[in-house]
Structure formats: C-alpha cells, structure tokens
C-alpha cells in the first residue's frame, strides 16, 4: 500500500512487445495492474462496448513462459482500450491508481492521430477519472520494434508525474522518434494535419467492390518548429500536454446567434 499503484493498458493487445516492455520499465517504481485487449484495437479512440458483454481473464505467464513478477498482474478482455480501464477500475483495483499509463504503442500517435488512437483513448479515460495519465508511443510499427532507448525517459516521466501530478483535465501524449539517439525532449503543440487518399477501392472476384482504409498524413505546417511532427522528424521526443476540455473559449466570448 506504500508503493504507487500503476494501471497500464494499450490498444495493441496484451501480447504486444510494447506493453510488456513498458511493464518491465516501471515495475520497480510501483505495483502494476495491467488490463489490455485480447487482440489489437488500433483506432478505437474512446470507444466502449455498449452492445456486447465483456469477459475478463488473468494471464499468469509471459509469452516466453516465465511468470510475471509478484507485483505485476496481467489481465485481458475482449473489449476496447477504454473498456479495459473501466473494468480495471471497478473489478481489479483495490484503491485508486496513482497513475495510468498507456502503450508503448507500435506507431506514431502525434498530430491528429491523437483523436483516433486507442492508446491515447486510455490516457483520456484516465484523465476523465481524475488520475494523472500518460500515453507512450514509438514511431515504429514493427512488431519487434526496439523500445530499449526509451527506458530512461519513460521512467523519468512516470516518476515526475507521480511526484508532481498533472493539472486537472490534462494528460500527456508522448511520442518517440524511431532512432537510438534522441536529440532531446521538446514540449510541443499538436501539428495541424489531415489524412488524405484514405480509401483504396478493390474489385472482389465474386463481383462486388470492397474497400481498405489506408491514406497518407498530409502535414499542413511542416516547418513549424513548435509542433510534435517537427520534433519527431528531427529526432526529438515530443511531449504534448493534452486537455480534455474541448471548449473554444475565444469563440465562446464572441459568437452570438
């Protein structure tokens, strides 16, 4: 009870290398409860399951057959990343978590990906519950990506948030470039960008069309040095403080009907 309680989830599934590396990075800092999807749930954002029942199962061993440490519990569910936090909060945590961390995501969650990401959705859900929350992502989609260079930075960020907390209604979206030599850390704003050419049409041999959602991210401000995309493109770690309150306060003061 004297150690911090760390709640972890992701959107790549409980077997993903990223979440298991994250567990190893923080398990010395506190007691760890993991509740993650049973398979990949990328792009689920803040979706939750309202029409299907959920299951909750405990995984006792790692993928290599070794048992998890005594202070680590690994659970998985058939639900979304947000379902994982709701289930863990209600069924697994005997006290309020001191921090919720998400990831490490296999892939970039900077710029507008913030709005689509299930990894970021976990941190949003934690923030909505009044818990300091951080989403971690690496700009590498390889299932065997190298997360080792991130370790000292992840531990430093987690310890800092545990010690100092975060402002009410704010969580951190942290993205790491794909490199073994980070130039440093930059606090950034979100880049304005959009996905284009998102639909790829195919002809099925049985006579109907089907579609893949793919696309290309088009950066509208590639030279803006204060943005997360610029930081990542120049080998900096990008930390974007993100708020839950979506109110446009400037328009609120001026707009009339």
């Amino acid at each position: 009870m004297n150690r911090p309680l760390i709640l972890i989830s992701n959107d790549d599934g409980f077997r993903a290398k990223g979440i298991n590396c994250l567990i190893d990075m923080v398990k010395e800092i506190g007691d760890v409860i993991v509740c993650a999807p049973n398979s990949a749930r990328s792009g689920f954002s803040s979706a939750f399951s309202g029409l299907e029942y959920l299951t909750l199962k405990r995984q006792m061993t790692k993928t290599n057959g070794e048992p998890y440490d005594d202070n680590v519990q690994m659970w998985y569910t058939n639900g979304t990343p947000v379902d994982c936090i709701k289930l863990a909060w209600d069924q697994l945590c005997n006290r309020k978590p001191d921090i919720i961390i998400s990831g490490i995501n296999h892939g970039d969650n900077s710029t507008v990906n913030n709005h689509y990401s299930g990894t970021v959705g976990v941190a949003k859900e934690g923030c909505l519950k009044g818990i300091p929350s951080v989403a971690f992502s690496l700009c590498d989609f390889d299932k065997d990506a190298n997360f080792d260079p991130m370790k000292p930075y992840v531990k430093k960020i987690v310890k800092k948030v545990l010690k100092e907390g975060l402002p009410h209604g704010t969580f951190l979206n942290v993205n790491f470039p794909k490199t073994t030599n980070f130039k440093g850390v930059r606090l950034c704003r979100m880049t304005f960008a959009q996905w284009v050419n998102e639909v790829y049409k195919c002809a099925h041999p049985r006579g109907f069309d089907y579609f893949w959602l793919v696309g290309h991210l088009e950066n509208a401000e590639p030279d803006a040095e204060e943005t997360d995309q610029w930081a990542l493109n120049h080998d900096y770690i990008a930390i974007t403080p993100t708020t839950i309150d979506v109110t446009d306060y400037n328009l609120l003061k001026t707009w009339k009907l």
Side-chain angles (χ1 to χ4, degrees):
M1 294 294 289
N2 294 325
R3 286 162 55 86
L5 179 58
I6 302 171
L7 177 57
I8 298 177
S9 191
N10 73 346
D11 71 359
D12 290 317
F14 75 99
R15 295 184 182 89
K17 182 178 180 180
I19 195 170
N20 285 283
C21 286
L22 182 59
I23 294 167
D24 288 339
M25 292 176 189
V26 303
K27 65 184 180 182
E28 296 178 357
I29 299 174
D31 295 325
V32 176
I33 294 178
V34 184
C35 186
N38 58 4
S39 61
R41 300 289 193 278
S42 295
F44 272 61
S45 187
S46 292
F48 65 92
S49 300
L51 300 177
E52 298 181 3
Y53 67 84
L54 300 175
T55 60
L56 186 60
K57 299 179 181 180
R58 187 168 183 179
Q59 177 72 16
M60 301 303 296
T61 58
K62 304 176 184 179
T63 54
N64 62 6
E66 295 180 0
Y68 284 101
D69 290 14
D70 291 340
N71 70 316
V72 176
Q73 294 183 38
M74 168 64 83
W75 297 79
Y76 63 93
T77 178
N78 59 321
T80 70
V82 164
D83 290 336
C84 293
I85 299 305
K86 293 181 183 295
L87 281 170
W89 176 274
D90 187 78
Q91 296 293 312
L92 305 178
C93 296
N94 61 357
R95 55 192 167 102
K96 183 178 180 179
D98 295 282
I99 189 172
I100 291 177
I101 53 179
S102 181
I104 300 167
N105 190 67
H106 292 248
D108 177 4
N109 276 321
S110 66
T111 182
V112 293
N113 295 334
N114 184 311
H115 295 291
Y116 300 116
S117 166
T119 299
V120 177
V122 167
K124 288 181 180 178
E125 183 67 17
C127 189
L128 286 168
K129 290 182 169 11
I131 301 171
S133 301
V134 185
F136 291 107
S137 304
L138 173 65
C139 298
D140 187 349
F141 289 96
D142 191 333
K143 66 178 182 180
D144 194 33
N146 181 15
F147 297 96
D148 290 342
M150 300 173 58
K151 184 174 181 178
Y153 296 94
V154 169
K155 293 179 71 173
K156 187 174 183 179
I157 292 169
V158 170
K159 288 179 178 179
K160 182 177 176 67
V161 172
L162 281 170
K163 180 180 179 180
E164 301 177 8
L166 290 170
H168 178 72
T170 298
F171 66 92
L172 300 182
N173 182 23
V174 184
N175 286 272
F176 289 77
K178 183 183 177 181
T179 181
T180 58
N181 296 298
F182 305 120
K183 289 184 179 178
V185 179
R186 293 175 71 100
L187 287 176
C188 310
R189 68 170 175 84
M190 190 180 79
T191 307
F192 183 76
Q194 63 177 327
W195 285 94
V196 297
N197 301 322
E198 295 181 271
V199 179
Y200 184 74
K201 182 179 179 180
C202 305
H204 196 279
R206 292 189 176 180
F208 60 88
D209 293 331
Y210 66 98
F211 306 88
W212 288 104
L213 291 182
V214 286
H216 168 72
L217 186 68
E218 189 176 81
N219 189 340
E221 42 182 357
D223 299 321
E225 297 185 11
E226 72 277 13
T227 64
D228 51 9
Q229 277 281 291
W230 187 95
L232 294 169
N233 290 338
H234 291 80
D235 290 338
Y236 287 94
I237 300 165
I239 300 180
T240 304
T242 306
T243 57
I244 291 296
D245 187 348
V246 296
T247 306
D248 183 337
Y249 286 97
N250 289 326
L251 189 61
L252 187 65
K253 296 175 183 177
T254 61
W255 201 81
K256 299 182 184 302
L257 185 61

